[in-house]
Amino acid sequence: MQGALAVNVHVHDTYFIVGHFHYVMFGGTGFGFFAALLYWFPKMFGRMYSKTAAVIAWVPMFVGFNMLYFTMLVLGLEGMPRRYYNHLPMYNTGHEIATVGSWILVLGLAIFFGNLVVARFRGAAAGPAPWGGSTLEWTTPSPPPVENFPEPPVVTAGPYAYGLGTRP
């Protein structure tokens, strides 16, 4: 949206750019990475994490993320320039909200990664397909052996024929 001149004239070099960048990079890439980590963790390590703790971690991550970066969008629309080590007093409230949001986000991240560390060493054993997948990667034990399959697998059904696939 910064490619539109009418918008860019007003938000160029403001906190709006900082907030927008982090919404895209952390919101899109970061949360996508966390989701992939939760999905593949049982297969990678052969252990299940606490689903309850994962949901509990998501709440402060979501709230803190939006408090932090949405506040930056608002500050930018109000005219707060970026790359300043100090700011006018009129922007104090926004910066305080963003700071509290960052603490809440870090709390959620600590719960999230703490859950995974605990699961890595003390989690319940994960079966070969903890999410009920029927494609080939879910037919091997968790974690998979070095060679994956002792012999080439025989595929007897399509990838979406749940319960009818290559399971022994």
Side-chain angles (χ1 to χ4, degrees):
M1 67 190 275
Q2 281 86 33
L5 183 60
V7 174
N8 192 47
V9 164
H10 298 288
V11 299
H12 180 74
D13 216 22
T14 68
Y15 254 46
F16 185 89
I17 302 300
V18 177
H20 181 265
F21 174 81
H22 285 88
Y23 251 101
V24 172
M25 295 310 294
F26 188 82
T29 307
F31 278 111
F33 171 76
F34 298 148
L37 189 56
L38 289 176
Y39 183 74
W40 287 106
F41 186 88
K43 181 54 75 178
M44 291 187 299
F45 298 108
R47 303 273 184 181
M48 289 300 294
Y49 53 84
S50 167
K51 293 178 190 175
T52 303
V55 171
I56 289 170
W58 177 84
V59 172
M61 286 170 63
F62 180 79
V63 171
F65 167 80
N66 283 295
M67 274 181 72
L68 174 58
Y69 298 120
F70 185 77
T71 305
M72 288 183 180
L73 295 175
V74 172
L75 284 168
L77 290 174
E78 290 177 346
M80 171 67 199
R82 65 182 185 158
R83 299 189 183 114
Y84 280 32
Y85 75 94
N86 203 354
H87 55 272
L88 295 173
M90 66 185 277
Y91 301 119
N92 267 359
T93 302
H95 281 282
E96 289 170 359
I97 292 170
T99 300
V100 170
S102 72
W103 297 340
I104 294 170
L105 175 60
V106 167
L107 172 68
L109 289 170
I111 295 168
F112 179 85
F113 286 110
N115 181 23
L116 295 182
V117 168
V118 168
R120 173 67 179 96
F121 298 104
R122 290 189 294 172
W131 314 126
S134 63
T135 52
L136 290 178
E137 67 270 28
W138 300 109
T139 61
T140 63
S142 296
V146 175
E147 299 295 330
N148 288 334
F149 302 100
E151 57 188 51
V154 177
V155 179
T156 59
Y160 303 111
Y162 294 105
L164 304 174
T166 59
R167 293 180 201 246

